[in-house]
Amino acid sequence: MRVFASRAAMAVVALTITTFVAFLRLPAAASATVWAEDGPIFIGQAFSGGGPAALFAPYEGYLHVLPRTIAELVVHFVALKDFAVALAFASSLVVGLVAFLTYYCAGALTDKVWLRAAWAAIPVMVSVAPYEILGNTANLHWYLLWLMPWLLFKPAENKASGFLLFAVAGLSAITEVISVVFLPLVLFRVRNKAYWPARAGLIAGAACQIFTVFAYPRSEQKGEFIDMGSVLIGWFVNITGVVVYGASRNMGLNILNFGWAPVVVASVPIVALAAYLLTTASQQNRLVALVFLAASLGIWTACLVANPGGEFHYSQLTDTEWAQFTLSRYSAVPSMFILALVPLLAESVVRKSVPAAAAVGAVLAVLLAVSYFPTQVAREAGPSWSDGVQAAKEACEGAADSETRPVHVAPEGWAVEGVPIMCARLR
């Protein structure tokens, strides 16, 4: 009992630390702003009620169960003016949980605590996270996508572990449709029943998402099909480039001023690292490296094919467009899986040379540490949710309780009407 209590206390401390490390990456103005779908879609629909079934309401062809659940909790238990901070903190708590579960599942690959901690640090510290995906529920699905292969690598140790793996994999799949890319991992050690709880969760969640895609199709996406040249160029710029250089402005200006040399400099060590793991690592580590690489390339490609915006035609960008280059949420998970190769390298060489493995770990620590403070956050200019609530409250003077007043969200123009809130609630 004492051992269990001690481990539980350590887990709570670790979760608290990782949650605040994630939350404090956001400037105060960003955590005080409601982002995109968090406003009119998740909060707005939580206002309208609908009971538990509303958590499974499709939006743009997919299910978003975890964001809807958090929005419901915030709407029912948090003061209206504090919604933005509550959503940002709850989202950071989920990131902390993802880090904790990554650490737990990484025990299937190594018994080295520091290596498991290195993998767990990646979702918390990845450089591009604060720009768009950190601190809002609208983008929590990216963190769950990172977590999915870890869940599939982990065999259940007992019934409680099996239930946890099943529940988390199922929740992840019914929150992130791209989780279907990991269905081939169902064949990994297919006869070993200990691996099936997470697989069952993924299969059940994927089935729900696939049904939703066909039953409630996504609205047509505008834009020309992205050519494969742009997909590959974009991967090297947005993924390997980000791992080394970090910020959007750095990458775009490097290309503008020096051509493709900075991209090559960033890509060579990543390619060499991948080649080393695929040719010399143990059979298990070769498989894991292949999964990480395939996930990085596959998720990046899927995002561009499904969202063919003009800014993604990298093979055709002009100097002016490179000067204005910014990263997007699509860079986050693919870059996490590339970073995950670094601890995998350390695990592969630690048996031969502990100092060499420590040096590899130090490289990862430097990469993550220098990227902690964001140079860009998409919502650092507001609008402040609490100020918007106060303005809407004042605008309700003399109005009927059933009338509504808007509270605006970021980014500018995403929802012109903002979140319509009834005056009865504002009062």
Side-chain angles (χ1 to χ4, degrees), residues 325-350:
F325 169 79
T326 57
L327 297 168
S328 74
R329 58 190 178 277
Y330 305 140
S331 302
V333 176
S335 63
M336 288 187 209
F337 283 120
I338 293 303
L339 282 167
L341 295 174
V342 181
L344 189 62
L345 173 64
E347 204 285 328
S348 297
V349 302
V350 70

Side-chain angles (χ1 to χ4, degrees), residues 118 125 342 359-371:
M125 303 286 284
V342 181
V360 174
V363 169
L364 177 65
V366 170
L367 287 174
L368 295 179
V370 298
S371 66

Side-chain angles (χ1 to χ4, degrees), residues 240-303:
T240 60
V242 164
V243 168
V244 175
Y245 299 113
S248 295
R249 292 169 183 165
N250 291 349
M251 199 66 247
L253 290 176
N254 283 342
I255 293 172
L256 179 64
N257 293 323
F258 301 103
W260 294 106
V263 180
V264 173
V265 169
S267 300
V268 166
I270 303 298
V271 172
L273 166 59
Y276 177 86
L277 288 170
L278 292 174
T279 56
T280 65
S282 66
Q283 183 178 6
Q284 173 184 272
N285 287 354
R286 286 200 300 270
L287 172 63
V288 174
L290 183 61
V291 169
F292 288 164
L293 283 168
S296 181
L297 285 163
I299 291 168
W300 172 256
T301 302
C303 289

Side-chain angles (χ1 to χ4, degrees), residues 4 13 42 141 146 206 230 242 249 272 284 304 354 388 423 425:
F4 176 79
V13 170
F42 301 141
H141 56 98
W146 152 267
S230 290
V242 164
R249 292 169 183 165
Q284 173 184 272
L304 265 62
V354 173
C423 289
R425 189 175 189 106

Side-chain angles (χ1 to χ4, degrees), residues 41 113 136 153 257 272 289 293 296 337 356 374 385 387 406:
I41 305 303
V113 170
N136 60 83
F153 287 145
N257 293 323
L293 283 168
S296 181
F337 283 120
W385 173 265
D387 290 348

